[in-house]
């Protein structure tokens, strides 16, 4: 047996094993939200299953090489097809969680069998101390390779479905070359080669049609026709077209529907713009679709708009996708616009500039990565960057469907030292939606609204700040970086409606 090739085998199977774990965790986070919970439970179950596999390896007493190749082919089949199978299960059935953790347990058990069997195959080739150190070294190197290439290379370039199929193919090829590597100790090498070649061809075909598999599952996942879909290192971006015009989804969550987005964006932008001492310099955090910028650019006094959005794929889509660029009135190409693709918290922390108006248009706090952007730490940074007579506005989820979450945002802003004025409006695609207007102090002027609005008028503007009893203030804790209570509120409240 060639020891070098066997150690390369260790490297490859370690990389594949961790890739499957990351795929399932990312997919669960995308479909179920709350990335911390999903990754924590997936990783815990996966490691537990690997322990089961390691324990079961003791019962394989004969034909170790034969079993090793068969296990490689099993990992290739189950791991390679896990992403398309889980997408289809989510779209077509109510058994997603069963399929999710079933996949984790099966893949983890098979991966847990691999290394113990390889150690037994190599035990006569090396001293025990050299055997363990070298096998574990290559195992950990494989894990490092997977953890770096998965978010930076494979997901952005291939997406979850094709990444899954590619590494399944890699596992199948490991099984195939092992039939030559271990030929002297294999009982039926030809039979195994036929199985490995057949499985490899199946995975190649699935990889070629990977986009069709993904589109098929998304067509059933979304009510309307999917007209554009792409994966970035940060999120899955999907545009659909149907009776509500076209809609944008990020990680499966609706961001706007073109039929009524103007109600959301007019309510988001104009109450702050008409109350600021002046509106020459405006900062938008989030809002990579360019729709908030469209409303800001209605004001002739605006000299510069800085838009900070983490994902260049989103801001690029708002510029290049014709239908979205038309909807945002080509705001992203306006000479007053300056687009920066960076983390909003780092942006606020590093600079010293102040803005007359700040519009915070982040997605809802449905995971801890987003929840940090709703904490006292973030809002204190925001306060330092708001001009003395400036006004900021924060989209703050629904005060009807997620009442405690909404008032948690208000409570957190007050704890950060802001004067606050909550308000809400009806957006049919979302239902009742809430915002919080903030300033250094409560004496705000009021200028006329710009012409050309479709929803807001002087009369409707005044009604935004009136709350009925079922949406009124309710006690809530302050959302801090070390507790992220808002994410827990949000998940608990929205679970009742979804």
């Amino acid at each position: 047996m060639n020891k070098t090739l066997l150690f390369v085998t260790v490297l490859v199977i370690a990389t594949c094993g961790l890739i499957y774990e990351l795929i399932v965790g990312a997919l669960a986070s995308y479909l179920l939200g709350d990335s911390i919970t999903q990754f924590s439970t997936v990783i815990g179950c996966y490691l537990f299953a690997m322990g089961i596999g390691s324990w079961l390896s003791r019962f394989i007493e004969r034909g170790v090489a034969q079993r090793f190749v068969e296990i490689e082919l099993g990992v290739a089949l189950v791991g390679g097809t896990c992403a398309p199978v889980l997408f289809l299960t989510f779209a077509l059935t109510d058994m997603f969680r069963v399929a999710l953790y079933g996949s984790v347990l099966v893949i983890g058990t098979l991966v847990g069998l691999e290394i113990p069997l390889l150690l037994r195959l190599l035990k006569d080739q090396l001293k025990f101390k050299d055997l363990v150190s070298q096998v574990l070294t290559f195992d950990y190197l494989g894990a490092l390779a997977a953890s770096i290439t998965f978010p930076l290379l494979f997901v952005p370039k291939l997406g979850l479905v094709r990444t899954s199929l590619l590494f399944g193919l890699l596992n199948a090829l490991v099984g195939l070359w092992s039939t030559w590597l271990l030929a002297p100790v294999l009982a039926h090498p030809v039979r195994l080669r036929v199985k490995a070649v057949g499985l490899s061809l199946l995975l190649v075909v699935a990889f070629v049609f990977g986009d069709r598999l993904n589109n098929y599952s998304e067509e059933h996942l979304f009510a309307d026709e999917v007209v554009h879909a792409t994966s970035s290192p940060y999120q899955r971006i999907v545009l659909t077209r149907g009776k509500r015009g076209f809609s944008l989804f990020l990680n499966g969550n609706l961001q706007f529907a073109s039929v009524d987005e103007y109600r959301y964006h007019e309510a988001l932008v104009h109450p702050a713009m008409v109350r600021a001492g002046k509106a020459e310099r405006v900062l938008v955090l989030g809002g990579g679709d360019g729709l908030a910028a469209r409303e800001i650019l209605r004001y002739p006094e605006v000299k510069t708009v800085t838009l900070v959005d983490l994902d260049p794929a989103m801001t690029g889509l708002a510029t290049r996708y014709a239908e979205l660029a038309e909807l945002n009135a080509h705001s992203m190409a306006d000479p007053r616009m300056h687009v920066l693709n960076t983390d909003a918290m780092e942006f606020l922390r590093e600079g010293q500039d102040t803005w007359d108006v700040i519009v915070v248009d982040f997605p809802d706090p449905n995971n801890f990565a987003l929840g940090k952007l709703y904490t006292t730490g973030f809002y204190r940074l925001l306060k330092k960057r708001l001009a003395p007579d400036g006004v900021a506005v924060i989209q703050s989820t629904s005060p009807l469907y997620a009442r405690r979450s909404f008032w948690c945002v208000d409570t957190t802003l007050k704890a950060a030292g802001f004067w606050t004025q909550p308000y809400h409006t009806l957006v049919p695609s979302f239902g009742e939606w809430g915002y919080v207007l903030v300033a250094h102090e409560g004496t705000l002027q009021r200028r006329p609204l710009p012409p050309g609005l479709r929803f807001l008028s002087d009369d409707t503007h005044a009604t935004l700040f009136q709350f009925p009893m079922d949406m009124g203030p309710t006690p809530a804790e302050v959302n801090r970086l070390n507790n992220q209570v808002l994410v827990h509120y949000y998940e608990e409240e929205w679970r009742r409606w979804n």
Side-chain angles (χ1 to χ4, degrees):
M1 288 186 286
N2 188 310
K3 288 184 291 185
T4 302
L5 285 180
L6 278 172
F7 287 128
V8 172
T9 298
V10 174
L11 180 68
V12 173
I13 64 177
T15 305
C16 292
L18 186 58
I19 288 287
Y20 298 139
E21 183 179 357
L22 294 171
I23 286 170
V24 176
L27 195 148
S29 176
Y30 164 45
L31 296 175
L32 299 177
D34 189 358
S35 58
I36 298 293
T37 298
Q38 305 312 327
F39 270 101
S40 179
T41 54
V42 166
I43 290 170
C45 290
Y46 192 83
L47 292 174
F48 170 71
M50 287 179 67
I52 293 175
S54 296
W55 180 76
L56 290 174
S57 68
R58 64 188 293 187
F59 298 104
I60 300 175
E61 296 180 355
R62 294 187 227 170
V64 172
Q66 185 89 7
R67 298 294 170 264
F68 172 76
V69 176
E70 290 171 348
I71 287 165
E72 281 304 299
L73 299 182
V75 174
L77 177 62
V78 182
T81 60
C82 67
V85 167
L86 288 173
F87 267 121
L88 290 170
T89 303
F90 185 84
L92 302 176
T93 75
D94 296 324
M95 302 291 289
F96 177 73
R97 290 180 189 273
V98 174
L100 174 72
Y101 292 106
S103 298
V104 170
L105 289 171
V106 172
I107 297 170
T109 300
L110 292 173
V111 170
L113 283 161
E114 291 174 320
I115 297 300
L117 295 184
L118 260 180
L119 287 170
R120 288 163 63 180
L121 289 169
L122 285 163
K123 65 181 174 56
D124 296 327
Q125 309 290 316
L126 294 166
K127 293 179 180 179
F128 180 75
K129 65 182 181 67
D130 295 330
L131 173 63
V132 172
S133 66
Q134 291 186 43
V135 168
L136 292 182
T137 296
F138 280 95
D139 187 44
Y140 296 143
L141 284 173
L144 175 64
S147 63
I148 292 173
T149 56
F150 179 75
L152 299 180
L153 176 63
F154 292 112
V155 173
K157 300 297 183 184
L158 298 178
L160 292 177
V161 169
R162 279 188 162 172
T163 299
S164 166
L165 293 165
L166 175 65
F167 279 87
L169 176 61
L170 202 54
N171 260 133
L173 293 176
V174 167
L176 182 60
W177 90 43
S178 295
T179 62
W180 276 279
L181 201 59
L182 303 172
V185 289
L186 286 175
H188 306 287
V190 175
R191 189 183 304 169
L192 289 173
R193 285 169 195 160
V194 171
K195 290 179 181 178
V197 170
L199 180 56
S200 299
L201 291 174
L202 175 66
L203 291 167
V204 167
V205 171
F207 182 86
V208 170
F209 292 98
D211 285 342
R212 293 190 185 182
L213 287 171
N214 204 31
N215 291 341
Y216 178 79
S217 62
E218 286 186 332
E219 283 170 7
H220 288 78
L221 183 61
F222 299 102
D224 297 326
E225 176 193 6
V226 175
V227 294
H228 178 85
T230 187
S231 293
S232 77
Y234 308 105
Q235 57 200 347
R236 178 72 173 168
I237 303 170
V238 175
L239 283 172
T240 67
R241 184 181 292 110
K243 293 179 180 178
R244 296 185 299 178
F246 74 98
S247 302
L248 170 69
F249 294 84
L250 299 181
N251 289 344
N253 298 305
L254 178 66
Q255 303 303 302
F256 71 77
S258 62
V259 70
D260 58 11
E261 58 77 20
Y262 65 91
R263 294 177 68 99
Y264 171 89
H265 289 100
E266 287 184 16
L268 171 71
V269 169
H270 297 296
M273 292 291 290
V274 299
R275 283 172 169 77
K278 57 182 178 179
E280 295 179 355
R281 290 168 49 81
V282 182
L283 172 65
V284 182
L285 301 177
D289 51 34
L291 297 172
R294 176 196 66 198
E295 298 301 320
I296 292 165
L297 293 170
R298 292 181 185 275
Y299 294 84
E301 65 264 41
V302 171
K303 293 181 179 179
T304 179
V305 181
T306 301
L307 188 148
V308 179
D309 191 288
L310 183 62
D311 195 350
M314 186 65 249
T315 53
L317 187 69
T319 305
R320 295 188 299 270
Y321 191 80
E323 204 165 358
L324 180 53
E326 183 178 350
L327 187 67
N328 67 36
H330 302 278
S331 62
M332 304 295 274
D334 191 286
R336 292 171 288 177
M337 287 290 297
H338 303 277
V339 177
L340 300 173
N341 296 119
T342 187
D343 180 87
M345 184 172 271
E346 292 302 313
F347 173 80
L348 293 179
R349 184 180 288 121
E350 290 171 0
Q352 299 295 326
D353 293 343
T354 60
W355 281 269
D356 305 318
V357 177
I358 301 178
V359 177
V360 182
D361 190 20
F362 295 135
D364 275 5
N366 58 16
N367 61 58
F368 293 102
L370 289 168
K372 75 172 186 177
L373 304 174
Y374 291 79
T375 59
T376 50
F378 181 82
Y379 291 145
R380 287 192 182 105
L381 292 173
L382 189 74
K383 194 170 187 291
K384 291 178 181 178
R385 310 301 289 277
L386 186 64
D389 58 350
V391 176
V393 61
I394 292 89
Q395 93 78 15
S396 308
T397 197
S398 171
L400 179 62
Y401 303 129
R403 183 177 177 184
R404 192 160 54 152
S405 300
F406 175 80
W407 290 104
C408 176
V409 176
D410 180 68
T411 299
T412 304
L413 285 161
K414 287 176 178 174
F418 279 115
W419 170 86
T420 70
Q421 189 174 20
Y423 64 101
H424 68 99
T425 193
L426 175 65
V427 182
S429 292
F430 296 138
E432 285 289 342
W433 213 254
Y435 316 80
V436 182
L437 204 65
V438 302
H440 293 290
E441 55 185 35
T443 307
L444 300 179
Q445 62 174 336
R446 171 82 160 76
R447 294 194 301 277
L449 291 165
L453 302 187
R454 299 171 61 189
F455 166 58
L456 274 187
S457 66
D458 289 333
D459 291 336
T460 56
H461 186 186
T463 66
L464 300 182
F465 299 90
Q466 300 170 12
F467 281 83
M469 288 189 295
D470 61 350
M471 293 192 293
T474 191
E477 293 183 47
V478 174
N479 187 43
R480 304 183 191 279
L481 196 58
N482 69 331
N483 68 4
Q484 294 262 22
V485 67
L486 176 58
V487 177
H488 297 294
Y489 286 160
Y490 184 91
E491 184 182 33
E492 178 186 340
E493 291 181 307
W494 277 104
R495 190 187 295 126
R496 297 198 305 263
W497 303 96
N498 294 331

